Amino acid sequence: MAADEPPEVPYPRDAPMPAGAGDAAPDARAAWWIYRGTGRPLPEGRFADELPPPPPWRAFDGGPVLPPPPGDERDLVRRLGPVSARPRLADPAEVDAVNAALFLRRPLLVTGDPGVGKSTLAYRITRELGLGRVLRWPIGSRSTLRDGLYEYDAIGRAQDAATGRRTLARQAGELPEAPAEGDPDVAALTDAGVGHYLRLGPLGTALLPYELPRVLLVDELDKSDIDLPNDLLDVLEEGEYGITELFRVSAREPVVKVHTADPDGTAEIVRGRVRCRAFPIVVITSNGEREFPPAFLRRCLQFSMGEPDETRLADMVAAHFAERSDERTRRLVRSFLEHRSSHRGLAADQLLNAVYLATSGASDPDTGWERLLDLIWQRLEVAPE
């Protein structure tokens, strides 16, 4: 056994064993699921009761425990539609992947074409399991690990300190001989310590010591600089990180309150170190535009999301247009599937755009409708030469 591999631990006899794809009936496979992909919230407290302890090598002990995070139902309705009385028909392979990530406390790397619903998965998870607002980290070509962990406004702090020193100088009738770093009089005048200039990013907030895991969406990691996946290795493996600016003042200020990625959120950091208690549910999406290093892939579970079929598209349309679902919308779903089969690279939200125009009265179905569909349903991929 390699030095960095976890020891083999026998699966508890009384715990349901995850069934492999295709080797058990759907009802047997569902017996071990916590997340079921129905789109409907679990009863309050059930997730905490059903979540088993982590594997020993993925157990963390951060503290003190923070209160549960805020929810954002308005954002969930915008992205998923209102909660439906009819359960969503879930893809068993997708639900298997989510539950395996839950059990093993590992990030879930979701790959697939643009527009198939990769990012939406994070919002379905948080709605069903009741885990508060999703912490979204959109990745660009200049994104760094530091961006995800925290931001420190050194310029703002220097400006405020300078303002405080000028005020003291006016009161004393002369300029001080040297800057007073950490001067309590300056801090009192500016009414802020170092924590006022620190804001945790989405990843940094997700690793705070919550009793239940936060949901973190790392969106389109394949857009990143080549080094970011490797930079994430230690944080994802150890579940902790340090804040240099707080280390420097830890002797004087062992506990510092900082801002978090939640609206108006704050958290107290002890001696400049953040360590999770429940490892977050990390959904990492990729459009498959690049490959990731083996060391990164080893720390993730991988799931490839295919294009939504007619049932999934109909569920999506019904979620957003329940009161407008009729024979015309069903014909649009079928027409979209036919168009997609002959014009690769269509996204599901292009169907939603068409349904909205068809049902809102914004367009005349008898005048130029096919021309309008050609405009809306333009392919997203460049045709191969």
Side-chain angles (χ1 to χ4, degrees):
M1 180 181 297
D4 61 346
E5 291 182 354
E8 293 187 5
V9 177
Y11 205 84
R13 290 185 177 181
D14 58 347
M17 282 291 289
D23 62 1
D27 55 343
R29 200 164 55 237
W32 72 280
W33 288 351
I34 301 175
Y35 168 79
R36 297 177 181 272
T38 62
R40 303 173 67 182
L42 293 177
E44 186 175 355
R46 177 176 292 183
F47 174 62
D49 293 339
E50 293 187 355
L51 184 66
W57 56 91
R58 297 297 293 164
F60 303 97
D61 58 358
V65 177
L66 297 180
D72 193 346
E73 184 60 26
R74 183 167 56 181
D75 189 45
L76 292 178
V77 170
R78 180 174 71 87
R79 296 176 182 275
L80 305 175
V83 176
S84 173
R86 182 170 65 92
R88 170 181 174 270
L89 186 61
D91 174 10
E94 174 188 300
V95 182
D96 278 343
V98 172
N99 282 282
L102 279 174
F103 274 64
L104 297 173
R105 275 61 168 188
R106 287 291 183 185
L108 179 62
L109 175 61
V110 184
T111 59
D113 293 336
V116 299
K118 302 183 297 296
S119 302
T120 305
L121 178 59
Y123 296 90
R124 289 202 299 268
I125 292 171
T126 200
R127 168 178 276 181
E128 184 169 327
L129 303 184
L131 297 176
R133 65 184 298 271
V134 171
L135 295 163
R136 178 173 174 267
W137 183 15
I139 302 297
S141 60
R142 297 185 178 180
S143 297
T144 65
L145 175 61
R146 172 74 175 264
D147 296 333
L149 293 177
Y150 69 93
E151 298 175 353
Y152 174 60
D153 186 6
I155 294 176
R157 190 182 185 198
Q159 290 173 339
D160 288 349
T163 300
R165 288 195 294 272
R166 285 195 298 269
T167 302
L168 285 177
R170 285 196 300 270
Q171 292 174 352
E174 61 179 355
L175 289 173
E177 294 182 358
E181 177 68 24
D183 189 309
D185 292 328
V186 174
L189 284 169
T190 60
D191 193 30
V194 62
H196 180 73
Y197 306 96
L198 266 163
R199 181 178 183 271
L200 303 186
L203 175 57
T205 301
L207 291 172
L208 287 169
Y210 293 101
E211 189 67 46
L212 294 177
R214 295 295 303 264
V215 177
L216 170 66
L217 171 61
V218 183
D219 213 7
E220 299 192 342
L221 184 61
D222 52 334
K223 299 289 194 299
S224 73
D225 178 86
I226 193 171
D227 293 325
L228 183 56
N230 281 322
D231 293 342
L232 286 167
L233 295 181
D234 187 69
V235 173
L236 295 180
E237 190 66 27
E238 301 302 325
E240 65 178 3
Y241 64 96
I243 301 177
T244 304
E245 292 79 4
L246 299 188
F247 281 137
R248 294 171 181 164
V249 299
S250 60
R252 184 175 68 252
E253 296 181 76
V255 179
V256 177
K257 180 180 287 189
V258 302
H259 304 284
T260 71
D262 291 315
D264 302 320
T266 60
E268 291 186 342
I269 309 301
V270 180
R271 299 195 178 279
R273 199 78 191 164
V274 176
R275 182 175 174 83
C276 71
R277 188 175 188 88
F279 189 80
I281 300 171
V282 184
V283 177
I284 303 172
T285 70
S286 169
N287 293 327
E289 296 181 1
R290 57 177 281 198
E291 294 184 353
F292 297 114
F296 176 79
L297 296 177
R298 185 175 69 83
R299 288 164 171 82
C300 301
L301 298 182
Q302 301 177 59
F303 172 68
S304 178
M305 182 176 289
E307 293 181 324
D309 58 15
E310 183 173 356
T311 301
R312 288 174 59 193
L313 289 173
D315 282 345
M316 181 185 67
V317 170
H320 288 278
F321 302 98
E323 73 284 359
R324 306 180 192 175
S325 183
D326 55 16
E327 180 57 32
R328 187 179 183 193
T329 61
R330 289 189 284 273
R331 288 200 304 269
L332 271 175
V333 171
R334 292 191 291 269
S335 178
F336 177 83
L337 288 169
E338 294 171 1
H339 200 83
R340 192 179 70 184
S341 65
S342 58
H343 300 75
R344 297 288 300 173
L346 294 184
D349 58 352
Q350 292 173 284
L351 171 61
L352 293 180
N353 292 336
V355 173
Y356 176 79
L357 288 178
T359 60
S360 65
S363 64
D364 184 351
D366 299 322
T367 306
W369 178 245
E370 291 300 324
R371 184 174 67 248
L372 186 58
L373 280 184
D374 287 339
L375 173 67
I376 298 171
W377 290 351
Q378 294 187 47
R379 61 184 300 159
L380 306 179
E381 297 177 354
V382 178
E385 297 181 356

